[in-house]
Amino acid sequence: KVYGGVGEIQLLRKMYENAVLSFSKAIEIDPFESAYYRGRADAYRYLEKNNEAKKDEKKANEIEKRIPSSFVRSSNSMGPTN
């Protein structure tokens, strides 16, 4: 959770490369937390790495389909919608 929180702060501070690294570390620790993939997708979008962003969004959706909706943690998507 620490790395995910750091990633969120880095997104807010427009430190997108660092956010990618933090979310990647969070994913290594907990690969079943969809919010980390969504956060990394936001960072990728800001970096105009749309293919990577789409892959992470797809992975987040796959994870969320496997878990009952009451257990899915909400994530505030802050990235551009392009």
Side-chain angles (χ1 to χ4, degrees):
K1 292 183 182 187
V2 172
Y3 288 103
V6 170
E8 291 292 336
I9 291 167
Q10 290 166 328
L11 278 177
L12 292 171
R13 293 187 178 180
K14 300 180 181 181
M15 301 167 64
Y16 306 123
E17 293 283 351
N18 290 336
V20 167
L21 295 174
S22 294
F23 285 118
S24 294
K25 185 67 176 173
I27 290 166
E28 283 179 38
I29 294 168
D30 184 0
F32 301 106
E33 177 53 65
S34 63
Y36 300 152
Y37 291 94
R38 293 200 184 282
R40 190 169 70 177
D42 289 341
Y44 278 140
R45 238 181 263 105
Y46 279 114
L47 293 169
E48 298 180 2
K49 295 183 177 183
N50 293 320
N51 288 335
E52 290 90 339
K54 288 177 186 178
K55 288 177 189 175
D56 277 355
E57 289 170 350
K58 181 179 177 182
K59 182 66 176 177
N61 289 336
E62 289 170 4
I63 291 168
E64 290 170 3
K65 285 180 185 176
R66 289 187 225 142
I67 309 170
S69 60
S70 60
F71 291 105
V72 175
R73 294 182 209 152
S74 66
S75 107
N76 296 323
S77 181
M78 301 181 313
T81 57
N82 304 9

